[in-house]
Amino acid sequence: MTTPSSIWPLFELKLTTPRLELRPILDEDIAPAVEAAHSGIHDAGRNPFSTPWTELPEEELGPKMARWYWRCRAECTPESWTLLLGIWHEGRFIGCQDVGAKDFAALRTVSTGSWLKQSVQGRGFGKEMRSAVALWAFDWLGAEVAESEAAAWNEASLGVSRSLGYELNGTTRKAWGTKAETVQHVRLTPQTFKRPDWTLEVQGHEAAAAFLKIT
């Protein structure tokens, strides 16, 4: 029988931590994702995203998010891919953790980004979900480097990075909406990674890796 996951094996990937479930966002998950974003992600005037999508009018935010999810699927190839993993806690959608790569076969490097709805921030979920994708990248995909970035003022994001062993990796000046921001780049390797004291459970890895031609 032909199923969505037999056509698109990435749908079967699932990462499970002590408190969270991370899995690719399906079409039926878009509405909960939009609802979570509508509930608020950050304080007004302090946008952590270089593209200020969270500041869109309510009627524009949903279509913008849906187009992004569909675009990442449509453009996913072994040479360039971004997986948008929804975050569920106690059965409720609370945010998104993305992990992606370009020329992974040669570079063995992934990059990450994330958001959590404001009502669940400050509970260690950000560290737990980033740990999950770092464990998957290093132990299952064979990545050698994980990179991320944040506005230099974004202490919450950079604090998560420091707690996991990321090292500072230079700064750049980047357009941030209508203004410029100093962006801090960070870099993690298996040697510097401060591993959690729990074990990541992974389902659907073999099919996902084969689809992305990762060996």
Side-chain angles (χ1 to χ4, degrees), residues 42-78:
H42 57 83
D43 293 334
R46 207 59 164 164
N47 199 320
F49 308 112
S50 57
T51 300
W53 58 276
T54 54
E55 298 175 8
L56 290 170
E58 185 170 334
E59 66 275 11
E60 296 180 24
L61 179 60
K64 176 77 170 182
M65 292 176 68
R67 282 193 293 269
W68 174 241
Y69 298 146
W70 293 329
R71 175 185 172 185
C72 287
R73 282 188 216 159
E75 296 182 353
C76 179
T77 67

Side-chain angles (χ1 to χ4, degrees), residues 111-122:
S111 61
T112 65
S114 64
W115 62 268
L116 280 171
K117 66 179 190 176
Q118 207 162 22
S119 62
V120 301
Q121 293 174 14

Side-chain angles (χ1 to χ4, degrees), residues 14-120:
K14 183 166 71 172
L15 312 181
T16 304
T17 73
R19 298 183 295 170
L20 305 174
E21 181 180 290
L22 294 76
R23 55 179 173 80
I25 295 173
L26 308 179
D27 280 0
E28 57 262 38
D29 302 320
I30 293 177
V34 172
E35 183 178 357
H38 275 157
S39 73
I41 297 174
H42 57 83
D43 293 334
R46 207 59 164 164
N47 199 320
F49 308 112
S50 57
T51 300
W53 58 276
T54 54
E55 298 175 8
L56 290 170
E58 185 170 334
E59 66 275 11
E60 296 180 24
L61 179 60
K64 176 77 170 182
M65 292 176 68
R67 282 193 293 269
W68 174 241
Y69 298 146
W70 293 329
R71 175 185 172 185
C72 287
R73 282 188 216 159
E75 296 182 353
C76 179
T77 67
E79 294 74 32
S80 179
W81 50 269
T82 299
L83 299 184
L84 302 175
L85 304 176
I87 310 298
W88 280 263
H89 171 63
E90 297 180 345
R92 296 185 177 183
F93 188 102
I94 62 171
C96 181
Q97 173 72 62
D98 66 68
V99 56
K102 291 185 178 181
D103 299 317
F104 184 82
L107 299 177
R108 293 285 164 175
T109 298
V110 299
S111 61
T112 65
S114 64
W115 62 268
L116 280 171
K117 66 179 190 176
Q118 207 162 22
S119 62
V120 301

Side-chain angles (χ1 to χ4, degrees), residues 161-182:
S161 297
R162 283 195 299 270
S163 72
L164 292 176
Y166 283 78
E167 298 176 336
L168 299 182
N169 194 33
T171 61
T172 55
R173 189 165 171 81
K174 180 181 289 189
W176 212 261
T178 59
K179 59 182 181 180
E181 288 282 6
T182 299

